[in-house]
């Protein structure tokens, strides 16, 4: 690992807890009607996430170009390169490590789906990105989503598939792996224990309650995860600032979900 990669990774995990609290505003082609929901106002969604003081934010390269200058220095910037829909209707790699360097980013994120007939192409996305990023000392954060095609194409979080996703990540040479939490503590603990690079969890689908999202995060941290990158449960929450305080309490302070809610005044 080059000095540049080490320095940038240290920025991502700069909190004294050694864990990472990330915000994701990198949902692009998959969020449906852009006039509805928490991303209807994209500048507003990013502003709501930044009020929560995340350690890093992952956004698309165009979003960074237009919106990030006012937030520079307030969190690490991660450029999202992956652009896909689970059914492969859209499947493009839209940013390179060089793009991330030009944006002043601390990492390149590459979101990919796995399983299915096109899996090999997505693994190539990762390996090509890792090889290219090495020339710039740019860490690669893999966001890996297993698919099931039994009834259409959907993302799944079963223990076997999440373990497979983690294996794809580290055998492709990435520096950080973001995967969904399985809901099964022992299987997730084993997946994290046998993974030689840091694992963080995806915020996942918006849960029925903030308590549910916090409980998943607390369980994952207890199982060995090094943090969480949260999207819908931040910008989709009625009070993103309080939600962020609660997530930071779980991730950085080791609080239980209930205690984190109390700290946030929710």
């Amino acid at each position: 690992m080059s000095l540049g990669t080490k320095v940038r990774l240290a920025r991502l995990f700069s909190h004294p807890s050694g864990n990472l609290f990330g915000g994701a505003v990198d949902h692009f082609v998959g969020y449906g009607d852009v006039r509805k929901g928490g991303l209807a106002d994209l500048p507003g969604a990013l502003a709501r996430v930044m009020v929560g003081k995340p350690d890093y934010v992952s956004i698309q390269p165009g979003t960074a170009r237009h919106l990030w200058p006012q937030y520079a220095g307030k969190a690490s910037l991660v450029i999202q390169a992956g652009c896909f829909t689970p059914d492969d209707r859209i499947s493009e790699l839209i940013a390179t490590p060089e793009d991330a360097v030009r944006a002043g980013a601390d990492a390149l994120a590459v979101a990919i789906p796995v399983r299915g007939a096109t899996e090999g192409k997505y693994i190539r996305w990762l390996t090509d990105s890792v090889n290219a990023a090495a020339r710039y000392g740019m860490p690669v954060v893999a966001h890996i989503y297993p698919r099931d095609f039994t009834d259409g194409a959907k993302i799944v979080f079963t223990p076997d598939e999440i373990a497979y996703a983690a294996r794809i990540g580290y055998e492709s040479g990435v520096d950080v792996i973001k995967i969904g939490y399985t809901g099964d503590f022992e299987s997730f603990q084993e997946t994290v224990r046998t993974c030689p690079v840091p694992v963080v969890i995806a915020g996942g689908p918006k849960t029925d309650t903030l308590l549910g999202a916090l409980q998943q995060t607390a369980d994952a941290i207890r199982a060995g995860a090094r943090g969480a990158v949260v999207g819908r449960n931040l910008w989709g929450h009625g009070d993103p600032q309080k939600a962020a305080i609660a997530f930071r309490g779980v991730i950085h302070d080791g609080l239980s979900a209930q205690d984190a809610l109390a700290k946030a005044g929710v």
Side-chain angles (χ1 to χ4, degrees), residues 68-160:
W68 190 253
Q70 64 182 305
Y71 302 114
K74 297 179 180 179
S76 289
L77 171 64
V78 178
I79 295 296
Q80 176 61 261
C83 178
F84 72 89
T85 55
D87 62 0
D88 291 326
R89 177 179 61 85
I90 295 173
S91 172
E92 302 291 341
L93 194 60
I94 62 172
T96 67
E98 185 177 355
D99 294 327
V101 170
R102 285 199 298 265
D106 285 317
L108 180 76
V110 182
I112 68 165
V114 291
R115 299 300 195 190
T118 56
E119 178 180 48
K121 177 181 70 173
Y122 292 114
I123 294 173
R124 175 59 66 183
W125 279 14
L126 273 187
T127 54
D128 284 352
S129 295
V130 167
N131 291 334
R135 297 196 292 271
Y136 301 98
M138 179 64 64
V140 175
V141 182
H143 300 189
I144 307 180
Y145 302 93
R147 296 177 290 183
D148 180 86
F149 293 91
T150 303
D151 182 18
K154 61 182 180 181
I155 304 299
V156 294
F157 301 96
T158 62
D160 287 351

Side-chain angles (χ1 to χ4, degrees), residues 175-248:
D175 301 286
V176 182
I177 297 170
K178 186 182 92 166
I179 48 178
Y181 181 59
T182 62
D184 179 82
F185 179 83
E186 291 186 359
S187 68
F188 193 79
Q189 184 179 48
E190 181 66 10
T191 293
V192 174
R193 185 189 69 78
T194 57
C195 184
V197 302
V199 170
V200 299
I201 67 163
K206 189 175 185 303
T207 53
D208 292 336
T209 65
L210 181 57
L211 177 62
L214 293 169
Q215 188 60 60
Q216 288 185 5
T217 304
D219 289 345
I221 297 294
R222 191 163 56 91
R226 293 280 303 279
V229 181
V230 188
R232 293 174 181 85
N233 288 300
L234 280 183
W235 46 254
H237 190 269
D239 191 329
Q241 185 173 10
K242 288 185 176 180
I245 291 171
F247 275 107
R248 286 204 309 270

